[in-house]
Amino acid sequence: MQLNVGMNQFDPARVFCIGRNYAEHAKEMHAPKPAEPVVFMKPATSLVAEGQPLVLPQGRGSVHHEMELVVAIGREGRDIPQHKALGHVAGVTLGIDLTLRDLQSRLKQAGQPWELSKSFDGSAVIGKLVPWSMQSDIQNISMRCTVNGTLRQQGNTREMLFPVVEIISFLSRHWRLLPGDLIYTGTPAGVGPLVPGDRIGIESTEIGRFQWECR
Ligand code: ZN
């Protein structure tokens, strides 16, 4: 898959995801607030763009939607200080971190990695990227998620426990960030199940509106 940010095209490199980045969501998961960002990854092959079918995994328990701000990296960097982090952002959009919730609970209990529940084909749903302008406030982006017209999730990036600059700086101490890297920055509260036939919409006044029909 190729992603466009304005006139620029790039191939997605890696998909980083931040867990428990909103206090209310950590609470609904009965998980403590983390002391530093909780990081996991999805393969770039798990991305589903708008217009592509959103196929839910079958027979593996409940599949939850997690609406998230997604940040696209446009400039390479290692050990990026927080005050320079936004200079590495090419674009932003909204996405859905699809999660096999029952399976994730079992994996957590067994102390095993989350990949089976988080990184399956089609698990990284992504809207159209909009170019990032340094004048906008990345920590004041509102977002809503509806399923069949009913509001499920509502949040604002100002509620993040670790703001975007801190996430970028943290990730860049562990990986050299590359153009085409995507970062799912965590979900506000209100996550819930999806079933085939559901219509899911994610929208933000600052970014746009995207929707998929689940199969
Ligand atoms: Zn998530």
Side-chain angles (χ1 to χ4, degrees):
M1 180 198 292
Q2 281 212 316
L3 294 173
N4 298 306
V5 188
M7 300 300 283
N8 298 318
Q9 263 197 345
F10 59 85
D11 294 312
R14 294 162 296 186
V15 180
F16 296 100
C17 301
I18 307 301
R20 297 176 202 157
N21 201 23
Y22 290 78
E24 289 302 311
H25 173 63
K27 214 187 276 174
E28 74 181 345
M29 292 287 102
H30 307 292
K33 275 195 214 175
E36 55 176 29
V38 174
V39 180
F40 59 95
M41 291 168 89
K42 297 175 186 260
T45 47
S46 62
L47 287 164
V48 175
E50 217 189 5
Q52 293 185 316
L54 196 169
V55 184
L56 301 172
Q58 295 292 311
R60 281 181 273 164
S62 66
V63 188
H64 276 197
H65 54 79
E66 295 188 354
M67 165 189 62
E68 313 202 354
L69 175 79
V70 182
V71 173
I73 298 294
R75 194 154 63 81
E76 182 177 330
R78 166 113 214 170
D79 297 325
I80 301 166
Q82 288 188 26
H83 71 276
K84 291 197 169 156
L86 291 180
H88 292 259
V89 173
V92 295
T93 188
L94 295 179
I96 307 166
D97 162 18
L98 282 185
T99 304
L100 280 158
R101 191 67 73 198
D102 302 332
L103 181 53
Q104 188 197 25
S105 308
R106 288 203 297 278
L107 294 168
K108 277 183 187 168
Q109 264 170 18
Q112 289 181 9
W114 295 358
E115 272 82 352
L116 290 175
S117 64
K118 284 282 199 184
S119 313
F120 50 89
D121 288 349
S123 60
V125 180
I126 189 165
K128 190 173 174 305
L129 284 157
V130 299
W132 173 248
S133 103
M134 295 283 278
Q135 283 77 50
S136 325
D137 183 357
I138 207 161
Q139 294 311 138
N140 187 12
I141 295 176
S142 60
M143 50 180 133
R144 291 160 46 88
C145 170
T146 60
V147 176
N148 304 325
T150 304
L151 182 67
R152 290 274 187 94
Q153 291 189 269
Q154 189 161 30
N156 187 294
T157 55
R158 78 168 81 90
E159 297 148 11
M160 286 181 178
L161 296 175
F162 300 101
V164 172
V165 292
E166 207 170 324
I167 293 170
I168 290 173
S169 180
F170 180 84
L171 290 175
S172 75
R173 295 203 292 276
H174 295 268
W175 291 273
R176 173 177 294 281
L177 295 184
L178 301 169
D181 281 335
L182 298 168
I183 308 169
Y184 283 62
T185 55
T187 192
V191 300
L194 290 172
V195 294
D198 280 347
R199 232 173 343 97
I200 184 163
I202 47 178
E203 63 180 81
S204 162
T205 9
E206 293 81 5
I207 293 172
R209 181 171 205 287
F210 316 103
Q211 89 172 22
W212 289 264
E213 190 156 326
C214 303
R215 294 193 191 164

